[in-house]
Amino acid sequence: MHIVVVGLSHKTAPVEIREKLAIPESRLGEALARLCSYSGVREGLLLSTCNRVEVYAVVDELERGYGRIQEFLADAHMSLSSEQLTPHLYWQTGDRAISHLFRVASSLDSMIVGESQILGQIKDAFDAALAHKATGLILNKVVKKAISVAKRVRTDTKIAEMAVSVSYAAVELAKKIFSDLSEKTVLLVGAGEMAKLAARHLIASGVRNVRVTTRNPQHAVELADRFGGAAVPFDQFREDMALADIVLVSTGASHYLIGADDVQRAVKQRMNRPMFLIDISVPRNIDPAVRHVDNAFLFDIDDLKFRVERNRGERLQEAEKAERMVQDEVGVVRQWLQSLEVTPTIVALKTRAEDIKRAELEKAIGRLSNLSSQERDLVEGMASSIVNKLIHHTMVTLKTEVASADGAAFVEAARRFFNLNEAESSAVNGETPALLKDGSEETETAPRAGGNNQ
Amino acid sequence: MAALFFMVTMALYFAATVTFLALLLRRAEALSTVALSLTATGFATHTLALVARMVGATGTSPPSFHEALSFFSWMLILVFLAVEFRHRLHVLGSFILPLALVSLVSAAALPETVPTLQPVFRTLWVHVTLSMLGTVGFAVAFVAGVMYLIQDGLLKSKRFNVLYSKLPALDFLDELNQQSIVLGFPLLTLGIITGAISAEFARGAYVNWNPEQTWAIVTWLFYFVVLVGRLTVGWRAKRAAYLTIIGFACVILTLVGVAVKSSGAVS
């Protein structure tokens, strides 16, 4: 059993690739079902944000598991072949996979380190996975741990204070185009979370005129009310664009909503006053050709990266502190995972002993047909006692040695001594629900997870 | 005395220019204080040099091109210090100081006094002063245009470097560009009118189409078109930046025309 992550992020893939791979919320359930339908994939979690598409999974065999997940990713998009995809992917397993998830949740791997959005996105992804029963014992534990680590990082380090979200970067850019934001008008197209956040930042920086348009007119009115702005009919916003100094686009549309012609026309109507366009959508909603329009300044989510490059020095310390916290927590999870390896072993061992005892008892009692019920109890009691005494010390040793470096070796030895490997699968499956309950409620210490099953 | 102050000023402007240029490449706040102190001190000695010269000047001697350029340089620094005081825009110094220095060095290269070949009237002082003030406006517009194009280029190519962080917002630069022309244009207009009057007094003809006069009129027409274009059909932003750079090239050509001829009287 291996925990793995396969995915790509803003660090390894350009937005053109990411937008093709992004899984819309509406199709998440279907995608999760497909992921879990691959043989050898026991648990799965899909994290799809503007900056990353990642598959977390528990697989039986490492190499085959990697292959399956890559297949899954490539299948999700017919337009993207496996060859095109591979150079952008990363693969991690074990501690490194767990550490990766923790770092992502703690926003250490974000385009804008310290932003808080990613944690919410992980929670959403986890909720979706739970709703579709895609995760199990291991991922439930690991993801919950990731969320608690992220919270700890946010409260115990200053990383969040320096958090400069994409919206903040957008405001900074706006200030390099417009010296006085209070006179400016912002047009919000779509109601993506990031765009709303950016709009809020802009308003906080002085923008007073807000116009909102969404495909759902009711939604636009509500949003406009909230921002103290005006709603614009969705089919008219392109004509209306000349009124806007700042255009913030974040919709779920899979095609370009704003073309270079639209912007060219708007700039002309504006008598060449500069226009600032921010496209936070993935896939993008503004044609990248807008870059070539004079006096129009288009930035997509990748362009906002520059904020990361800034203030690197002062953030480094806090980030290092956060990294250490992450690594400590990875150690805790590692221990738990090791105990998990021993738990099914103990369960299988007990089942096996029980099976042997029952079979032998049946045989013996069948021959001793004239036993009284008292004698019968005695024989049964003796058999149980022998069996329990025989395996007792093995179980104790397994539990005590599990935390040591050789824990895995003891487990392996016990499996071979008692020939548990064929009997294992049915036994583990039978016990999984009970383990899930224990495992998810017990957040601490590995050995106890095993102890609960005795 | 005036000559000494002049030399000191030149040295100070040189040091300030170097510091301001270094400021373009580095994020050092202390550097800007040094650059500003140098500039302010230079401006003070420059003022003294100009005053000493005025005091020393005898009666109605006509202004030389040397004086005109020195005055231009002084005005540029004055405008810079005013804008700096209001907007704390250090980076403007990195563009204006070199210009002021070049103009001062050119002044140094020219003879300080003009051999008076013909009687000239007081109107000539007015003409030179007004023309130079107009030129200062165009120079600032030029600098704003250059800064605009740099910032525009940085934003378009997404190079968020030190320069990007120091340059002000695009619309501020565009506004500075517009204001400078709006102020410079009427001054140049008056400068040309007084020049024509002086010429009429001196030579009996308002215009005699010599190269610098011709260039002056071409320049005037150019800025007229630029200004009207901006106010009516939206020649702003990038186009305005390009146009003011071209316009300033015309101004330089006019001045070179004058300089070449500056062994004679300013016409």
Side-chain angles (χ1 to χ4, degrees):
Chain A
M1 231 165 9
H2 303 271
I3 178 162
V4 295
V5 54
V6 179
L8 46 76
S9 72
H10 60 99
K11 288 191 173 158
T12 62
V15 63
E16 291 83 1
I17 301 278
R18 294 195 322 259
E19 66 190 6
K20 276 191 190 147
L21 220 57
I23 303 160
E25 224 178 305
S26 55
R27 282 179 38 215
L28 203 56
E30 171 205 325
L32 278 166
R34 201 160 51 79
L35 173 65
C36 292
S37 71
Y38 284 101
S39 75
V41 177
R42 291 189 180 196
E43 300 181 24
L45 175 83
L46 290 174
L47 180 63
S48 173
T49 74
C50 340
N51 287 331
R52 63 184 68 243
V53 177
E54 288 177 339
V55 179
Y56 292 88
V58 175
V59 297
D60 287 335
E61 282 171 60
L62 198 55
E63 288 308 318
R64 264 197 30 211
Y66 280 154
R68 287 285 146 80
I69 295 171
Q70 195 177 334
E71 217 174 290
F72 162 78
L73 284 171
D75 277 1
H77 248 276
M78 299 305 178
S79 55
L80 219 55
S81 72
S82 212
E83 291 75 52
Q84 280 174 295
L85 196 59
T86 314
H88 300 290
L89 289 178
Y90 41 79
W91 295 267
Q92 306 277 9
T93 183
D95 281 7
R96 300 185 63 176
I98 298 166
S99 155
H100 182 83
L101 174 62
F102 286 9
R103 295 187 73 252
V104 168
S106 309
S107 184
L108 287 167
D109 197 53
S110 293
M111 184 182 278
I112 286 137
V113 174
E115 53 100 3
S116 59
Q117 230 180 339
I118 184 67
L119 185 54
Q121 287 162 334
I122 286 188
K123 283 181 185 162
D124 291 347
F126 187 43
D127 286 347
L130 282 177
H132 292 91
K133 298 193 166 50
T135 53
L137 170 65
I138 296 177
L139 280 183
N140 283 346
K141 170 83 175 182
V142 172
V143 176
K144 279 181 182 167
K145 193 75 188 165
I147 293 169
S148 77
V149 170
K151 285 181 183 160
R152 237 190 92 198
V153 165
R154 296 191 72 72
T155 49
D156 293 2
T157 73
K158 289 202 198 99
I159 199 163
E161 273 174 41
M162 283 169 276
V164 271
S165 57
V166 162
S167 39
Y168 186 77
V171 172
E172 290 242 308
L173 275 170
K175 283 182 179 164
K176 282 293 176 190
I177 297 171
F178 308 112
S179 47
D180 181 9
L181 290 178
S182 66
E183 299 296 309
K184 302 301 165 200
T185 300
V186 59
L187 171 66
L188 189 58
V189 183
E193 273 311 311
M194 292 263 262
K196 278 195 275 189
L197 208 65
R200 228 169 279 145
H201 263 85
L202 284 167
I203 292 165
S205 308
V207 173
R208 268 179 294 184
N209 300 316
V210 182
R211 303 170 73 80
V212 183
T213 183
T214 61
R215 232 176 256 283
N216 174 348
Q218 189 52 40
H219 201 173
V221 171
E222 283 167 19
L223 215 56
D225 278 352
R226 197 169 346 141
F227 290 135
V232 179
F234 194 76
D235 50 0
Q236 267 173 39
F237 87 84
R238 283 176 202 79
E239 288 72 44
D240 213 52
M241 224 159 54
L243 290 173
D245 301 286
I246 302 168
V247 182
L248 252 169
V249 186
S250 161
T251 79
S254 53
H255 57 279
Y256 298 143
L257 290 177
I258 298 174
D261 293 347
D262 302 319
V263 176
Q264 183 76 67
R265 195 170 49 238
V267 168
K268 207 173 165 201
Q269 281 171 12
R270 292 169 56 79
M271 305 254 280
N272 290 322
R273 281 186 191 83
M275 259 180 110
F276 177 31
L277 301 108
I278 312 155
D279 187 359
I280 318 186
S281 339
V282 173
R284 284 172 293 180
N285 290 160
I286 302 182
D287 187 348
V290 168
R291 281 164 214 280
H292 306 300
V293 177
D294 267 355
N295 304 318
F297 299 90
L298 168 65
F299 294 88
D300 65 33
I301 196 142
D302 269 8
D303 300 327
L304 302 172
K305 242 179 188 167
F306 81 99
R307 283 291 307 168
V308 188
E309 306 307 319
R310 293 239 211 126
N311 309 329
R312 207 173 255 283
E314 46 180 293
R315 268 208 311 259
L316 215 58
Q317 274 195 328
E318 291 302 316
E320 270 173 12
K321 200 169 145 192
E323 295 279 4
R324 279 195 299 276
M325 290 170 65
V326 163
Q327 291 317 319
D328 289 350
E329 299 289 349
V330 169
V332 172
V333 172
R334 183 203 301 129
Q335 254 194 350
W336 177 78
L337 278 175
Q338 282 169 349
S339 94
L340 205 69
E341 294 297 320
V342 86
T343 305
T345 309
I346 289 171
V347 171
L349 175 59
K350 285 171 79 177
T351 315
R352 182 124 179 101
E354 199 62 41
D355 287 351
I356 294 170
K357 183 189 83 178
R358 194 170 297 130
E360 293 303 320
L361 262 178
E362 267 167 21
K363 246 192 276 171
I365 287 172
R367 281 190 210 138
L368 301 165
S369 51
N370 49 358
L371 283 181
S372 70
S373 71
Q374 206 183 3
E375 290 166 315
R376 214 184 136 108
D377 285 351
L378 197 71
V379 172
E380 276 182 12
M382 183 189 71
S384 298
S385 170
I386 292 173
V387 162
N388 286 344
K389 284 205 166 105
L390 265 177
I391 62 170
H392 173 73
H393 201 70
T394 309
M395 293 202 295
V396 170
T397 311
L398 279 176
K399 272 182 252 162
T400 47
E401 290 295 333
V402 66
S404 75
D406 302 327
F410 276 92
V411 174
E412 170 74 357
R415 285 184 174 276
R416 283 171 70 172
F417 289 152
F418 292 93
N419 195 23
L420 298 178
N421 281 336
E422 318 119 341
E424 179 217 36
S425 62
S426 60
V428 170
N429 285 344
E431 287 298 318
T432 300
L435 273 170
L436 170 69
K437 220 173 140 200
D438 292 342
S440 49
E441 278 168 14
E442 288 294 328
T443 37
E444 297 306 332
T445 60
R448 280 173 60 197
N452 286 340
N453 279 292
Q454 214 183 3
Chain B
M1 202 56 179
L4 177 69
F5 282 133
F6 189 84
M7 292 312 287
V8 172
T9 306
M10 212 150 53
L12 283 167
Y13 282 0
F14 179 75
T17 302
V18 171
T19 325
F20 267 123
L21 290 179
L23 203 60
L24 280 183
L25 305 171
R26 306 196 72 103
R27 270 181 224 283
E29 270 308 298
L31 219 55
S32 63
T33 318
V34 173
L36 279 174
S37 313
L38 284 169
T39 311
T41 320
F43 183 72
T45 57
H46 200 167
T47 313
L48 288 174
L50 289 177
V51 169
R53 194 160 178 85
M54 252 153 69
V55 171
T58 49
T60 57
S61 74
S64 67
F65 194 57
H66 165 91
E67 286 166 309
L69 277 180
S70 177
F71 175 68
F72 169 73
S73 169
W74 183 81
M75 271 307 295
L76 261 183
I77 300 290
L78 181 66
V79 169
F80 162 62
L81 288 175
V83 175
E84 163 69 33
F85 187 72
R86 246 201 96 186
H87 299 284
R88 313 298 303 163
L89 193 60
H90 306 327
V91 72
L92 191 62
S94 310
F95 292 84
I96 286 205
L97 256 290
L99 204 57
L101 180 69
V102 165
S103 132
L104 206 61
V105 168
S106 319
L110 289 166
E112 287 186 26
T113 48
V114 179
T116 21
L117 297 176
Q118 45 197 307
V120 190
F121 297 86
R122 271 191 129 33
T123 47
L124 200 53
W125 276 101
V126 180
H127 158 67
V128 171
T129 309
L130 287 171
S131 309
M132 279 303 154
L133 284 174
T135 308
V136 167
F138 297 149
V140 174
F142 162 77
V143 164
V146 170
M147 285 163 83
Y148 187 99
L149 291 179
I150 293 175
Q151 185 70 312
D152 181 281
L154 289 174
L155 276 166
K156 278 272 181 192
S157 61
K158 279 126 204 181
R159 288 210 307 275
F160 306 109
N161 53 20
V162 184
L163 192 53
Y164 159 83
S165 65
K166 292 201 169 168
L167 286 170
L170 284 179
D171 68 348
F172 175 86
L173 292 170
D174 196 39
E175 184 69 20
L176 183 62
N177 180 303
Q178 168 165 336
Q179 291 292 332
S180 309
I181 295 176
V182 164
L183 286 174
F185 185 73
L187 289 166
L188 181 77
T189 311
L190 290 173
I192 287 178
I193 291 170
T194 50
I197 293 169
S198 313
E200 208 275 332
F201 276 123
R203 290 185 287 260
Y206 286 106
V207 185
N208 55 358
W209 300 109
N210 60 19
E212 74 271 12
Q213 277 185 358
T214 314
W215 265 114
I217 286 162
V218 167
T219 305
W220 184 88
L221 276 173
F222 186 84
Y223 278 105
F224 179 72
V225 172
V226 169
L227 201 55
V228 169
R230 177 185 265 280
L231 299 177
T232 56
V233 290
W235 287 3
R236 61 178 75 235
K238 211 169 163 184
R239 180 173 308 189
Y242 277 124
L243 288 174
T244 41
I245 289 170
I246 296 169
F248 193 64
C250 294
V251 172
I252 298 284
L253 279 175
T254 313
L255 291 177
V256 167
V258 178
V260 164
K261 227 198 95 175
S262 79
S263 49
V266 177
S267 54

